[in-house]
Amino acid sequence: MNNKEVPLFENWPYKVPSIKSAVKKVETFTEHMKEAKDGAEALRVYKAHVRFFDKLSTEIGHVQVLFTLESTNPVYERDNNKLDEGLPLLQNAETAFMKAMVESPYREYLEKKLGSHLFKIYDYSLRSFSPEIIEEAIEENKLSSEYGKTVAEIQIEFRGEKYNTSQMGKFLNDNDRETRKEASEVYYKALSEVAPKLEDIYDKLVKVRDKMAKKLGFKNYVELGYLRMSRYDYDAKDTASYRDAIGKFVTPLAGKLVKDQFRRIGIKKPEIYDLALMFKDGNPIPKGTTEEKVASARKMYALLSEEASYWFNFMDDHHLLQLEAKKGKQPGGYMTNFEAYKVPFIFSNFNGTSGDIDVLTHEFGHSLQYCLARDIKVPEYRSPTMEGAEIDSMSMEFFAEPYMDLFFDDPLKYRYEHLADSISFLPYGVTVDEFQHFVYENPNASKEERLQKWHEIELKYTPYKVALYKDNEYLSSGRRWLMQGHIFSSPFYYIDYTLAQVMAFEFFNLDRKNHELAWKRYVKLCKMGGKYPFRTLVTKCGMKDPFQEGVIEKTIKPLVKQLKTYGF
């Protein structure tokens, strides 16, 4: 389908695919692969499978996206539940197809045509799934959906109105301290009420994932989790060393930034609800309505590059930007893509804060990467692994910084806030990662032991925040992580953000010296998609591997100087 034929998002036909029929179709492809008479025939079977799966994945993704947009819609909930039950059966059929590819007598021919990395991808998939764990995989899907629905249903009454968790953001960031305090109290009260249910869902997820890992022959879920995240060129020891570097070189700086922040806003006895206020006269608030913000983004991308402009306008024109927070909509933001239409899609929850602009840059970075690589014939190569994908999004946030005058009356405040928050994010990101390693290395730990461990790790990486928890029972009891959806639905997907953040800082440092070179390398990275594992992608586009000793320190130092130039 070419771009002119893509209908508006709301006009897409709604079809819940029959997983039973899809499984039979994949099984047919598998038999044809086994029966292929030569390499050329095996390649034709592979290509037919790709065409089928591009269409199928679009139908599946459409149902899943509509469910996140309206989690309280009984039709979408019913259909999403059907997929939760059926997708592990489809995954099992897909695993058999991959096995037929790997064991094909024409593998050498296929590797020459498709690339050897594809077979490494298949190897990881084969090692991380088998028919033995279908029952557990179904349970995992159901529990993840239950978490998303539970969080989406949280309603918080504040000053006579009801809001979801995303909509409360504007009050939690308000310039008025009493508003922040009052909003914080009702927000955390609501989270405390739902916390037991979320802890129970997570406990079940941990147990089912541990069971999956042991059925597949692993000691625990950690190794399986790394396989499922497609971490081809680093392991748990590498991430542990990386976390240590963040603790050594970034935690002290993040603590200083918080100290400077409270001095700047003039609060001598800060509370947790003061942490959101960056400036005494208020945080930077983007100008205009959602439509006006999108119009400003169109102007920005027109100035940045021709390809960025074309694709952002295309997404806007085809209603592929679903940005407003509303009742029943799941919190957070994401980008996904629909292969049958060859288009990306952005989901978010605008709430009137600077985070709205972060979404327009971050998620569009993902979108642009997909658009630049969408015509790669091998679908597994169209997108990089998670940490590689986050480089595309987080770097776009910094490429957009010169154009912040389009969105803010005082763009310097946004630039300072964005950079300071990005630096301070790193210690939190590694907190999430270390916590998950503890959880899956100790699957029988009690709920209370998990809370204690979270608190202990927070003290290690973000002591400056823990000091503010004294009057907040929800946070001081170690429950901050319960609203971090990745911990529930995408285990071990969080260190990826920190690795990509370091890479985004590298692009930011280079961009200030040589914009043309930085953008050229960024586009090259996007176009490579997932043809290579993370560390190879990084070096092939001319940047430095964040796992290498000294890279964290060298990348952070220029940022300290840059913060000073903003005058705050």
Side-chain angles (χ1 to χ4, degrees), residues 477-509:
S477 63
R479 288 181 167 85
R480 164 68 181 86
W481 58 275
L482 288 173
M483 290 300 289
Q484 192 63 66
H486 305 74
I487 293 176
F488 287 77
S489 60
S490 305
F492 293 110
Y493 181 10
Y494 215 74
I495 195 79
D496 310 72
Y497 286 114
T498 73
L499 290 165
Q501 187 69 77
V502 173
M503 293 304 307
F505 288 152
E506 285 190 40
F507 274 112
F508 183 50
N509 290 335

Side-chain angles (χ1 to χ4, degrees), residues 509-524:
N509 290 335
L510 179 60
D511 191 44
R512 298 197 310 278
K513 296 177 181 177
N514 187 332
H515 171 70
E516 288 73 22
L517 179 59
W519 183 253
K520 182 180 178 181
R521 289 182 177 179
Y522 174 76
V523 170
K524 180 179 181 180

Side-chain angles (χ1 to χ4, degrees), residues 424-443:
S424 297
F425 164 73
L426 293 175
Y428 172 72
V430 297
T431 297
V432 171
D433 187 66
E434 189 162 318
F435 174 68
Q436 293 190 94
H437 279 81
F438 166 79
V439 167
Y440 290 108
E441 287 167 2
N442 301 275

Side-chain angles (χ1 to χ4, degrees), residues 437-492:
H437 279 81
F438 166 79
V439 167
Y440 290 108
E441 287 167 2
N442 301 275
N444 295 317
S446 67
K447 296 172 187 177
E448 291 72 25
E449 286 171 329
R450 287 188 199 124
L451 300 181
Q452 291 168 9
K453 191 63 179 182
W454 173 268
H455 184 70
E456 177 187 318
I457 299 170
E458 276 192 306
L459 280 170
K460 178 179 177 180
Y461 292 110
T462 58
Y464 44 89
K465 285 186 180 179
V466 177
L468 305 174
Y469 290 173
K470 55 186 181 298
D471 294 324
N472 187 305
E473 184 181 352
Y474 179 85
L475 295 174
S476 62
S477 63
R479 288 181 167 85
R480 164 68 181 86
W481 58 275
L482 288 173
M483 290 300 289
Q484 192 63 66
H486 305 74
I487 293 176
F488 287 77
S489 60
S490 305
F492 293 110

Side-chain angles (χ1 to χ4, degrees), residues 132-151:
E132 296 177 77
I133 65 167
I134 288 177
E135 184 179 338
E136 288 78 17
I138 292 171
E139 180 67 10
E140 181 185 29
N141 286 344
K142 287 182 176 180
L143 289 166
S144 293
S145 291
E146 184 183 356
Y147 171 80
K149 185 174 185 292
T150 301
V151 171

